[in-house]
């Protein structure tokens, strides 16, 4: 299932445009990371693509269908959204939480039953968290909660997943675990579009990088092509050097200030 | 963690059996003693022919005095609890109660006005209900005018309108005759089910059914109102539509309940909390559990109200006296565990 965005512009009423003439296509089965500074319009772009915004100009097309022609329920059968795990008011069990994802699959105002519970169980198994089934969501660790959020989206039975910084607020180990699970979803054919603040993570896990600044896409391509010291300077106004490891199979960003700091520290210590 | 020991369906069934038990027990209570066997026979005689072995007085006592009162108590308790549980979901706030949007205070004003004008108790009920519905319309209208979060606007509009009606009631009490209408108003505001007849019951079940059925139908979707609105919409739920529907229905329930019983606090707050502890937060089970527990609770409270002293005690006082300490106990127990 592919996503096509053409000539997309959006502004909140009475305010300057947040997104300006955006064009891109996301092919099936890849992980695209959206990089951009705070306020660049990342979440607005994602909201538009999820069909949560009205009054945008241009077209967003899912598998040949303009999303304007889809009801919320039809939309929810095509795309799922994975938020950053947050505190809720009522402490639902993991099973109940993930069952919520099946709502769009129910006809009319029906309640989920045995069939949906099976869907939930297989989503939990896929992410290796079926042992959490009867635990309460808010009693889980941050990493477990994030996996539950992903399971909820899987239970929605869509092929496209939108994620809002899935690894933010997680400790290092959980970040890696969550990203590994996302990678294995890509291998199964899911299409994932995520926002991130971390260029290294984009390097390590993404197939494509999209860079958004001041409401415009300034770069879109493979991490090797797109992530350059120049781009990082334009996005975040800091100087970086890019190191190539393992015969350039892996790249990482190192802030220039750190490299200089290391030199002066060496001189001071010696 | 293992699967919970008892399924939610089983728990609901036990609550239902308890309600039936309390219902039958309540039929025995009262100054005029009717033996249990006679009570059962009298009840059965309504549907199937049974040889009459009881006095007319016993029959009237059970069918025309106790049954309407007991049924009303169950309906009122269930309505207030379901309305409370629904409000808690809509406003994602465990402290929300059925009177949040002014449904009770406005009903109080309507009733006070009708009592002042010398209307019969049946007309008083009608006025209370009308005032309560009028208040809902006002709150919805004002909330639409405001900018920003609809939920917040609703709560603010509810507080404002509620305080206006409160002021109106105070004024009516000020000008009421302290020898007859003032005590009547005061007593109404404290809540009571005394003097319930088949006539009241014959009317009150209608708005209660109209309010209850849609809530039961959308109760799964109500779960999604408690999480972030944007997330719920990406799961295909039209949150604003369901929210308005549930607000209207639960206010209808509150208005219907309060207009027959007067103002009864605490039930709509305490019962949903107990229901949450027993059957969890999933509204599929929470809503029926609230209805069953609320019905049982108010019925027991009404039993106390009519049997504890020779004169009737107001329900609002008993629910507060039981509700507040119970709530404190729940809070402390939670902290310890």
């Amino acid at each position: 299932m592919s996503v096509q965005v053409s000539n997309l512009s959006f502004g909140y009423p009475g305010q300057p445009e947040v997104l300006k003439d955006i064009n891109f296509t996301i092919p099936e089965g890849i992980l695209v990371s959206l990089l951009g500074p705070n306020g660049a319009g990342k979440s607005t772009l994602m909201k538009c693509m999820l069909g949560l915004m009205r009054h945008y100009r241009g077209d967003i097309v899912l598998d040949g269908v303009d999303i304007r022609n889809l009801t919320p329920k039809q939309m929810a059968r095509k795309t799922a959204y994975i938020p950053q795990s947050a505190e809720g008011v009522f402490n639902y069990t993991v099973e109940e939480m993930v069952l919520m994802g099946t709502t769009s699959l129910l006809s009319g105002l029906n309640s989920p039953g045995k069939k949906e519970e099976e869907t939930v169980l297989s989503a939990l198994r896929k992410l290796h968290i079926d042992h959490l089934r009867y635990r309460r969501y808010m009693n889980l660790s941050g990493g477990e909660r994030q996996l539950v959020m992903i399971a909820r989206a899987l239970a929605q039975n869509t092929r496209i997943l939108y994620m809002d910084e899935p690894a933010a607020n997680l400790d290092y180990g959980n970040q890696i675990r969550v990203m590994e699970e996302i990678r294995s979803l890509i291998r199964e054919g899911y299409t994932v579009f995520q926002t991130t603040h971390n260029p290294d993570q984009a390097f390590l896990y993404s197939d494509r990088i999209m860079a958004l600044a001041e409401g415009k896409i300034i770069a879109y391509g493979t991490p090797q092509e797109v992530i350059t010291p120049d781009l990082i300077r334009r996005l975040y106004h800091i100087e970086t050097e890019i190191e190539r490891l393992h015969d350039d199979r892996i790249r990482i960003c190192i802030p220039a200030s750190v490299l200089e700091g290391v030199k002066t520290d060496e001189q001071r210590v010696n | 963690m293992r699967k919970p020991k008892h399924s939610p369906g089983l728990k609901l069934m036990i609550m239902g059996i308890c309600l039936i038990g309390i219902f039958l027990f309540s039929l025995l209570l009262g100054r005029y003693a009717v033996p249990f066997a006679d009570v059962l026979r009298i009840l059965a005689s309504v549907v199937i022919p049974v040889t009459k072995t009881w006095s007319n007085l016993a029959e009237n006592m059970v069918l025309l005095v106790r049954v309407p009162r007991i049924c009303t108590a169950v309906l009122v308790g269930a309505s207030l609890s379901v309305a409370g549980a629904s409000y808690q979901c809509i406003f994602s706030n465990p402290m929300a109660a059925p009177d949040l949007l002014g449904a009770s205070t406005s009903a109080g004003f309507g009733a006070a006005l009708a009592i002042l004008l010398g209307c019969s108790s049946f007309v008083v009920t009608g006025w209370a209900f009308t005032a309560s519905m009028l208040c809902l319309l006002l709150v919805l209208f004002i909330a639409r005018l405001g900018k920003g979060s609809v939920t917040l606007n609703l709560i603010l509009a509810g507080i404002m309108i509620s305080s206006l009606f409160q002021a109106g009631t105070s004024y009516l009490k000020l000008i009421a005759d302290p020898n007859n209408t003032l005590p009547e108003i005061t007593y109404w505001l404290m809540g009571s089910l005394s003097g319930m007849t088949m006539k009241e019951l014959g009317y009150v079940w209608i708005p209660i059914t109209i309010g209850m059925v849609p809530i039961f139908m959308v109760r799964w979707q109500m779960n999604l109102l408690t999480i972030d609105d944007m997330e719920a919409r990406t799961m295909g739920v039209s949150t604003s539509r369901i929210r308005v529907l549930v607000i209207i229905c639960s206010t209808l329930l509150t208005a219907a309940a309060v207009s027959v019983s007067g103002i009864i606090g605490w039930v709509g707050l305490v019962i949903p909390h107990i229901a949450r502890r027993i059957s969890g937060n999933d509204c599929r089970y929470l809503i029926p559990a609230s209805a069953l527990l609320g019905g049982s609770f108010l019925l027991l409270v009404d039993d106390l109200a009519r049997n504890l002293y020779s004169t009737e005690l107001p329900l609002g006082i008993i629910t507060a006296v039981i509700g507040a300490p119970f709530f404190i106990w729940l809070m402390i127990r939670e902290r310890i565990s």
Side-chain angles (χ1 to χ4, degrees):
Chain A
M1 199 180 271
S2 65
V3 188
Q4 264 178 293
V5 173
S6 41
N7 309 319
L8 174 70
S9 296
F10 178 84
Y12 291 95
Q15 280 170 31
E17 285 193 327
V18 186
L19 302 174
K20 296 160 196 160
D21 197 31
I22 285 178
N23 291 283
F24 62 84
T25 302
I26 301 174
E28 208 174 301
I30 65 165
L31 169 55
V32 178
S33 292
L34 179 61
L35 277 179
N38 289 329
K42 292 195 302 294
S43 21
T44 310
L45 175 59
M46 196 173 266
K47 281 183 191 171
C48 284
M49 292 166 73
L50 281 162
L52 296 173
M53 297 298 196
R54 299 265 164 251
H55 317 301
Y56 58 81
R57 280 182 288 123
D59 295 307
I60 301 167
V61 177
L62 278 182
D63 256 355
V65 185
D66 188 330
I67 65 164
R68 285 193 185 90
N69 301 328
L70 296 173
T71 63
K73 207 167 200 172
Q74 288 169 329
M75 190 69 199
R77 288 174 182 175
K78 289 184 182 293
T79 61
Y81 170 66
I82 300 163
Q84 280 179 38
S85 64
E87 290 275 322
V89 181
F90 300 112
N91 202 355
Y92 287 100
T93 65
V94 168
E95 185 176 44
E96 289 160 355
M97 208 67 183
V98 178
L99 260 181
M100 292 188 195
T102 66
T103 306
S104 64
L105 304 171
L106 303 166
S107 58
L109 290 170
N110 285 351
S111 289
K114 280 271 171 290
K115 192 178 142 223
E116 284 73 24
E117 278 168 21
E118 283 302 310
T119 313
V120 167
L121 193 58
S122 72
L124 294 176
R125 285 210 180 106
K126 195 176 269 183
L127 298 171
H128 316 293
I129 50 168
D130 42 321
H131 56 285
L132 302 178
R133 188 174 175 188
Y134 300 113
R135 292 271 301 277
R136 298 221 170 239
Y137 175 74
M138 282 195 275
N139 305 351
L140 303 179
S141 74
E144 288 169 332
R145 282 189 206 177
Q146 194 61 56
L147 289 172
V148 172
M149 290 288 101
I150 298 176
R152 192 175 74 184
L154 294 185
Q156 209 168 321
N157 253 344
T158 66
R159 300 309 286 174
I160 305 179
L161 306 174
Y162 293 105
M163 306 197 192
D164 188 12
E165 294 185 55
N169 306 326
L170 297 185
D171 69 37
Y172 183 69
N174 281 326
Q175 279 183 26
I176 306 295
R177 249 164 251 138
V178 166
M179 290 315 296
E180 282 304 331
E181 295 294 354
I182 293 172
R183 262 330 301 181
S184 66
L185 292 175
I186 299 293
R187 270 174 236 129
E188 281 184 43
Y190 282 90
T191 308
V192 179
F193 183 77
Q194 66 154 350
T195 60
T196 180
H197 274 302
N198 188 341
D200 284 337
Q201 212 185 68
F203 261 141
L204 286 173
Y205 296 104
S206 312
D207 301 301
R208 299 276 186 285
I209 303 290
M210 191 183 292
L212 193 69
E214 290 162 4
K216 287 184 191 142
I217 292 186
I218 55 172
Y220 182 37
T222 63
Q224 281 75 5
E225 292 163 3
V226 170
I227 302 183
T228 58
D230 192 43
L231 180 86
I232 303 293
R233 192 183 309 119
R234 278 185 74 185
L235 291 178
Y236 301 110
H237 306 290
I238 58 159
E239 295 298 328
T240 50
E241 280 180 27
I242 291 180
E243 287 292 321
R244 295 147 192 255
L245 306 171
H246 293 269
D247 298 329
D248 201 14
R249 273 183 301 227
I250 295 169
R251 293 190 190 181
I252 51 168
C253 277
I254 301 169
S257 55
V258 172
L259 292 173
E260 269 163 37
V262 170
K263 279 177 205 154
T264 46
D265 282 351
E266 268 171 10
Q267 283 167 4
R268 198 185 41 159
V269 173
N270 293 334
Chain B
M1 187 173 274
R2 285 178 303 119
K3 191 180 166 79
K5 234 188 286 171
H6 305 295
S7 79
L10 181 71
K11 287 177 183 167
L12 286 181
M13 214 152 80
I14 294 169
M15 287 180 213
I17 293 168
C18 287
L19 177 59
I20 294 170
I22 296 168
F23 182 92
L24 292 175
F25 167 74
S26 304
L27 281 172
L28 296 175
L29 293 176
R31 229 154 301 146
Y32 183 85
V34 183
F36 187 60
D38 278 356
V39 166
L40 287 182
R41 278 194 212 107
I42 292 169
L43 284 181
S45 73
V46 180
V47 267
I48 48 168
V50 181
T51 348
K52 192 169 169 183
T53 56
W54 56 87
S55 66
N56 280 336
L57 183 61
E59 181 170 324
N60 287 344
M61 197 48 100
V62 171
L63 289 184
L64 299 180
V65 178
R66 289 181 195 168
V67 165
R69 180 161 185 167
I70 287 169
C71 289
T72 316
V74 172
L75 284 178
V76 167
S79 300
L80 291 175
S81 310
V82 168
S86 306
Y87 272 19
Q88 289 168 9
C89 287
I90 294 166
F91 296 106
S92 301
N93 185 342
M95 293 311 287
D99 45 10
L100 187 68
L101 299 184
S104 309
T105 42
S106 52
F109 175 80
L113 192 61
I115 292 169
L116 202 66
L117 296 173
C119 301
S120 70
S121 76
F122 188 68
V123 179
V124 169
T125 300
W127 277 63
F129 184 73
T130 314
S132 197
M133 291 281 84
L134 193 74
C135 170
L136 171 67
L137 287 180
L138 269 173
V139 168
L140 287 177
F141 176 70
I142 293 169
R144 286 206 94 132
L145 293 180
K147 267 185 145 185
S149 150
V150 182
T151 316
L152 187 63
N153 284 344
L154 277 171
I155 295 173
L156 290 176
I159 293 170
M160 299 308 146
I161 300 294
S162 183
S163 69
L164 276 179
F165 276 112
Q166 190 80 58
T169 310
S170 298
Y171 179 72
L172 292 179
K173 283 164 90 174
L174 189 71
I175 60 171
D177 185 342
N179 292 319
N180 45 53
T181 46
L182 182 59
E184 206 184 322
I185 293 174
T186 312
Y187 197 69
W188 194 95
L189 291 175
M190 290 190 291
S192 168
L193 289 170
S194 68
M196 277 303 127
T197 63
M198 274 298 175
K199 193 175 162 198
E200 272 97 356
L201 182 61
Y203 280 95
V204 76
W205 73 271
I206 300 169
I208 288 180
T209 310
I210 296 174
M212 209 61 106
V213 169
I215 290 182
F216 269 77
M217 281 169 69
V218 300
R219 64 190 199 279
W220 167 254
Q221 279 72 12
M222 272 164 64
N223 285 324
L224 285 98
L225 297 182
T226 68
I227 62 168
D228 182 76
D229 232 45
M230 186 177 127
E231 288 171 38
R233 278 159 64 202
T234 65
M235 286 181 245
V237 175
S238 311
T239 48
S240 45
R241 242 186 266 172
I242 292 184
R243 190 166 275 129
V244 170
L245 175 78
V246 176
I247 286 176
I248 292 174
C249 289
S250 36
T251 310
L252 189 66
L253 286 179
T254 313
V258 170
S259 59
V260 288
S261 69
I263 293 172
I264 301 173
W266 283 99
V267 178
L269 181 64
V270 176
I271 297 299
H273 273 271
I274 300 170
R276 273 177 209 289
R277 261 151 229 273
I278 298 175
S279 60
N281 290 308
D282 185 345
C283 291
R284 279 183 298 170
Y285 309 112
L286 173 67
I287 297 292
S290 299
L292 293 171
L293 287 179
S296 306
F297 176 73
L298 200 67
L299 183 49
L300 283 175
V301 167
D302 189 50
D303 286 344
L304 281 180
R306 66 192 171 99
N307 292 301
L308 206 55
Y309 290 108
S310 51
T311 54
E312 289 228 359
L313 275 172
L315 289 175
I317 295 179
I318 307 181
T319 54
V321 167
I322 297 175
F326 188 75
F327 213 67
I328 294 168
W329 176 72
L330 277 183
M331 277 166 60
I332 295 169
R333 209 187 67 155
E334 190 167 70
R335 207 178 143 189
I336 292 167
S337 67

